[in-house]
Amino acid sequence: MIMPYQEEINKLYKWIENVNNSIGRFPLQLTKVDVQQIERWIYVIAENIDDEYSFYNVELPRIANILFVINPYGAIDINLAAFGELFIIIKQIRHEPKNAQFWKSIHPRIANISKGLYCDGHFASAAEKALKEIETKLREMFQELKPGATVPSKVLDVMRALLSENGIYHYCDTTTVSGKNYCKGVCALFEGAFVAYRNPASHANLTYTKRETIEQITLASQLMYILTEPKV
């Protein structure tokens, strides 16, 4: 996973570690050039984390503005309170460069296929592969539940054979009204996802925003959980 601010956060983290190990042991010698470089690293990181860490996106520039002070002798000192804030923030961002909470709620199989692409900024590929993984799972299930039978070439036919009220995959109780309604809704969800997202992606190179990608990955996760965690 390569972040757009990878170089800056690595250099800033190394500087923070060096300063942390030097406090109280060696005098800190900073030049105006050093200060400008460090501030630039902080601003680059802040600009690139707005979606994942909106609070830090605001806090980091504030910290950069108060991180360095001129002492009575004209030398550059570090504001230790601001430095402590910076240390914690950069350590967390470096450890979890993209907010991990979202991916913890996504089905592991979808996360495994899409997380790396999403974090690298390949949004269209992340979204498309999430739905493609659903198709792969459907075909696997058809082969498992109907060994020896030919898997239909069209994914909608595979889906209907598995998920319809008389389908071979029993994921809800269709003897009840609520179960029949749930089954009908699930079929509509799967068919809508493939018609709206999977089929167009097969015929053209699509572009997705972060929001659109997250929505499609979330939908794919929901569909995958239906296939792996039936209600009966």
Side-chain angles (χ1 to χ4, degrees), residues 49-89:
I49 61 172
D50 186 28
D51 289 333
E52 287 76 27
Y53 296 102
S54 58
F55 179 73
Y56 292 163
N57 165 259
V58 175
E59 285 297 295
L60 282 174
R62 180 191 66 80
I63 291 171
N65 288 334
I66 62 172
L67 183 60
F68 302 104
V69 293
I70 305 297
N71 65 29
Y73 303 100
I76 301 172
D77 283 342
I78 294 176
N79 177 341
L80 293 181
F83 177 80
E85 290 184 81
L86 181 66
F87 181 92
I88 296 300
I89 291 173

Side-chain angles (χ1 to χ4, degrees), residues 13 16-17 20 82-92:
Y13 185 77
I16 289 172
E17 288 279 279
N20 190 54
F83 177 80
E85 290 184 81
L86 181 66
F87 181 92
I88 296 300
I89 291 173
I90 295 303
K91 192 170 185 179
Q92 180 183 357

Side-chain angles (χ1 to χ4, degrees), residues 124-172:
S125 294
E128 291 165 17
K129 285 187 177 296
L131 262 296
K132 189 173 182 180
E133 194 66 11
I134 298 298
E135 179 178 349
T136 300
K137 177 61 177 176
L138 286 168
R139 295 184 182 280
E140 290 172 356
M141 291 177 66
F142 187 94
Q143 290 178 319
E144 292 169 4
L145 295 172
K146 292 197 73 172
T150 301
V151 181
S153 58
K154 295 181 179 179
V155 65
L156 291 181
D157 291 337
V158 179
M159 180 199 73
R160 290 163 187 154
L162 288 167
L163 305 175
S164 64
E165 186 174 339
N166 298 315
I168 56 177
Y169 173 51
H170 304 294
Y171 58 95
C172 64

Side-chain angles (χ1 to χ4, degrees), residues 167-224:
I168 56 177
Y169 173 51
H170 304 294
Y171 58 95
C172 64
D173 183 2
T174 54
T175 64
T176 66
V177 173
S178 61
K180 289 181 179 180
N181 288 337
Y182 178 75
C183 178
K184 183 178 179 180
V186 164
C187 288
L189 275 177
F190 273 83
E191 186 165 351
F194 279 93
V195 172
Y197 300 123
R198 182 72 182 98
N199 292 351
S202 300
H203 304 291
N205 292 323
L206 305 180
T207 58
Y208 290 87
T209 63
K210 283 186 178 181
R211 177 187 60 79
E212 291 169 333
T213 304
I214 288 172
E215 289 172 348
Q216 190 162 319
I217 288 172
T218 302
L219 175 59
S221 175
Q222 180 186 8
L223 301 182
M224 188 64 80

Side-chain angles (χ1 to χ4, degrees), residues 103-121:
W103 293 103
K104 288 179 181 178
S105 63
I106 297 299
H107 191 285
R109 183 159 173 172
I110 299 299
N112 287 341
I113 202 75
S114 294
K115 183 179 178 180
L117 291 167
Y118 174 85
C119 291
D120 287 344

